[in-house]
Amino acid sequence: MPPALSVSQTLNRASKAIKTGAVEVAEDLYMKVLERYPANRRAQQGLLALCQGSAMDMAKSAREMQARGKLYAAEKRWTFAVCRAPETAGLGIGLALCRLEMGQPAAALDAIDRVLEVCPGDARALDTRGRALRDLGRIDEAEACHRAALRGGAEDTGPLNHLGILAQARGDKAAAADLYRRAIALRPDVPDLHHNLSHVVTYAEGDAHIDQMLRLLARVTPNDPAQSPLHFALFKAFDDLDQRDKAFHHLVEGNRMKRAAIGYEVRHDALRFAHVKSLFAEPVAEVSFNTPLPARPIFVVGLPRSGTTLIEQVLACTPGTQACGELSVVARAAAKLLRTLQDEKRNRLDRDDILSLRAQIADGLARHSDGAPVMIDKMPLNFRWLGFIAAALPEARIVHVARDPQAVAWSLFRHAFAGRGNGFAYGIGEITAYMLLHRDLIAFWQARLGNRLFQLDYDQMVRAPESELRRLVDACALDWRDDCLSPHRSGSAVLTASSAQVRQPIYDGSNAGWRRYERQLAPMRKALQQAGLI
């Protein structure tokens, strides 16, 4: 494997790119240096020479791009702004928040630590640092940062909310509810706070919080997408009260608003999946690797809400494993490679592509590793990149979790996900179309990867846990422990939407949850039947 470019070599390449007019290439190279060495003056000066306008103008442009979901371009603008005015805390915080939205907590931590060097004790910077640490799995450090950010005023809303998220991740619903209520008392107009509270309480008739949410909804602009969390919260409330028509009305409204705000189009994913398949239509070059990974990775993939969190928790009960949650490391590296191939008009991976991909993934995993010999990444949507994983990481084990399509579709539709990554989840047509794309791509990988791709049937697993989980553990080359049958007792923090479910014993019956809304879900069932999914 060729040695990685030094900082000096990277900067020289950027200079040559500018001379040939490849400005975006130069920008990327400068940003690569600044991601690891934020104080590098040559990279800072190089970026400054490329960008025009004041730091505030760049920050305004970055916010607009971020609001439209153009995160890669927004990160560039934030980086330019920070280079122009590194002493302005708000710019560094903006860069860190953008990187968090991109799923880059390690890079966000670099940016926010730079802010705290200049402005030690800045409450918003401390709170943002806590978010980055949380996403890196460093829960205790994250809590310390959020508590340090408390000041005793209205600005405590963020830290209190984030402390509530940590308490919820640990399974302490009472503490989480108290923290969310304290945040709501400070800022009752923030829909996300109400949504968070709804998931840690069980509502009863006459609950004052329901009236509070209904009054808030009546005061806001109709059809404002920002209010969609209130509708999802009211779905949860009326579902608890078994008022199913009211509950489903709010669920439909919440999904409609989310769908309008995100503007998801399934054709974009269809084109991307087709491109990925074309790259692996023929076997890729076999490469020998001399550089070890920081740990042996296990990737647990599938559709969101298919049971990947539970499987991660089972595997984490075995010795020598680290549960990393949902990492963006592979997606970021693979998407970058796809852009490179498109820019260079190439339709095959070569040896250098695979070596570079491995190096990027290894670097990303190293920034999340706690030293355990095995790392478990349960990002469901990594199913898109299995060919890349197989080519660059021969040490990796891959587990695909399949679950009853009706249960998955219902679970997708009833959840409001953070960010834009699951934009297909807010409409029956989009869910059905995406499930078809998923089924087709998994069949493609299965034909090419064979036994490198372990298929786990979730429904069979909950009916016969021990036999299926023993097969799983063996396939992942791990050592069985009886604790694998009781992952709910592990006490580990879980930051995904499945945090409540994985604290229950493994049980058969969760797939029947959609039947409570069987009448309302008739169109979804019909769509799944017509697509041949059920």
Side-chain angles (χ1 to χ4, degrees), residues 273-529:
F273 287 19
H275 183 201
V276 167
K277 287 169 66 177
S278 73
L279 295 174
F280 294 92
E282 301 295 333
V284 299
E286 291 190 12
V287 180
S288 297
F289 303 107
N290 299 320
T291 305
L293 298 174
R296 179 169 67 86
I298 297 173
F299 296 97
V300 182
V301 305
L303 286 168
R305 311 299 301 156
S306 62
T308 55
T309 300
L310 175 59
I311 299 309
E312 176 203 37
Q313 293 299 301
V314 168
L315 294 174
C317 291
T318 64
T321 55
Q322 174 193 356
C324 298
E326 298 179 357
L327 303 183
S328 65
V329 172
V330 170
R332 191 164 67 250
K336 183 177 180 181
L337 176 53
L338 280 182
R339 286 195 300 270
T340 299
L341 293 171
Q342 289 170 333
D343 292 343
E344 297 177 0
K345 296 180 171 57
R346 292 193 287 124
N347 58 9
R348 293 296 302 275
L349 300 180
D350 61 26
R351 180 177 180 276
D352 288 342
D353 293 325
I354 296 171
L355 289 171
S356 175
L357 183 67
R358 180 181 175 86
Q360 290 178 60
I361 295 174
D363 182 63
L365 292 177
R367 303 202 75 185
H368 289 271
S369 175
D370 67 0
V374 177
M375 299 176 71
I376 307 164
D377 177 356
K378 57 122 326 198
M379 172 60 79
L381 296 183
N382 275 341
F383 78 81
R384 301 171 297 180
W385 316 117
L386 297 189
F388 297 94
I389 291 171
L393 310 173
E395 311 94 324
R397 302 298 172 104
I398 305 168
V399 178
H400 173 252
V401 185
R403 189 179 181 187
D404 173 41
Q406 292 174 109
V408 173
W410 167 234
S411 193
L412 287 169
F413 193 67
R414 71 196 296 266
H415 277 86
F417 295 91
R420 297 169 173 266
N422 296 317
F424 57 86
Y426 304 108
I428 293 172
E430 290 84 353
I431 290 172
T432 303
Y434 196 85
M435 291 177 81
L436 280 171
L437 289 176
H438 163 262
R439 184 181 68 178
D440 177 67
L441 188 56
I442 288 298
F444 178 85
W445 294 135
Q446 183 72 55
R448 281 149 185 81
L449 303 184
N451 59 13
R452 288 202 62 186
L453 177 57
F454 180 80
Q455 296 278 10
L456 179 73
D457 185 323
Y458 180 90
D459 308 313
Q460 178 63 23
M461 185 273 293
V462 296
R463 287 192 294 268
E466 182 164 357
S467 61
E468 292 301 302
L469 293 180
R470 281 186 178 275
R471 288 180 60 244
L472 168 70
V473 170
D474 183 61
C476 293
L478 299 172
D479 295 325
W480 174 262
R481 281 188 175 175
D482 288 342
D483 292 344
C484 294
L485 296 172
S486 305
H488 61 290
R489 294 176 178 166
S490 69
S492 58
V494 177
L495 289 161
T496 69
S498 303
S499 60
Q501 292 94 320
V502 298
R503 300 196 185 283
Q504 303 176 45
I506 297 172
Y507 67 100
D508 183 8
S510 61
N511 281 346
W514 66 272
R515 292 191 180 279
R516 277 174 46 78
Y517 291 89
E518 189 166 5
R519 175 174 58 82
Q520 294 90 342
L521 291 174
M524 177 179 285
R525 182 172 173 79
K526 182 178 179 180
L528 295 174
Q529 286 174 330

Side-chain angles (χ1 to χ4, degrees), residues 33-261:
V33 172
L34 290 172
E35 192 171 292
R36 302 305 302 273
Y37 305 100
N40 186 284
R41 289 189 177 182
R42 189 175 164 192
Q44 289 177 345
Q45 291 168 353
L47 275 180
L48 289 174
L50 293 175
C51 59
Q52 303 295 324
S54 69
M56 294 303 108
D57 288 339
M58 292 175 204
K60 180 181 178 182
S61 174
R63 290 189 190 94
E64 291 171 351
M65 291 174 176
Q66 205 168 333
R68 297 198 305 272
K70 306 294 184 181
L71 299 181
Y72 182 74
E75 185 196 20
K76 283 187 178 181
R77 291 291 173 269
W78 281 119
T79 303
F80 293 163
V82 171
C83 285
R84 281 218 178 275
E87 73 288 347
T88 304
L91 300 178
I93 293 170
L95 173 59
L97 291 172
C98 181
R99 288 176 173 175
L100 284 175
E101 192 173 348
M102 295 172 76
Q104 299 183 24
L109 188 62
D110 290 340
I112 209 64
D113 282 348
R114 184 67 177 165
V115 172
L116 288 167
E117 288 177 9
V118 179
C119 305
D122 183 286
R124 193 170 172 222
L126 285 168
D127 191 44
T128 304
R129 188 173 196 271
R131 290 181 59 187
L133 290 167
R134 181 188 78 202
D135 289 355
L136 286 167
R138 294 157 61 178
I139 302 299
D140 292 340
E141 293 175 76
E143 181 176 0
C145 281
H146 293 314
R147 293 200 179 281
L150 295 172
R151 295 291 185 270
E155 65 274 15
D156 285 355
T157 304
L160 288 170
N161 180 44
H162 298 138
L163 286 167
I165 291 171
L166 294 181
Q168 185 176 348
R170 289 174 168 139
D172 191 343
K173 289 187 176 183
D178 177 65
L179 289 159
Y180 292 143
R181 288 190 179 103
R182 288 168 61 189
I184 289 171
L186 296 172
R187 288 288 307 279
D189 59 328
V190 178
D192 283 330
L193 299 178
H194 297 280
H195 181 245
N196 289 350
L197 176 58
S198 72
H199 284 281
V200 293
V201 297
T202 300
Y203 292 92
E205 284 290 348
D207 195 305
H209 186 223
I210 298 176
D211 290 337
Q212 183 184 17
M213 289 190 288
L214 290 171
R215 288 195 302 271
L216 179 59
L217 200 57
R219 292 199 303 267
V220 300
T221 305
N223 298 320
D224 178 4
Q227 307 307 317
S228 65
L230 276 177
H231 285 290
F232 280 96
L234 285 164
F235 160 72
K236 167 62 165 57
F238 288 119
D239 183 61
D240 283 352
L241 298 178
D242 202 29
Q243 297 182 27
R244 300 180 199 179
D245 286 336
K246 282 186 178 180
F248 199 76
H249 163 76
H250 285 288
L251 184 60
V252 169
E253 285 299 292
N255 276 288
R256 181 180 63 80
M257 290 181 174
K258 286 282 281 189
R259 188 165 66 254

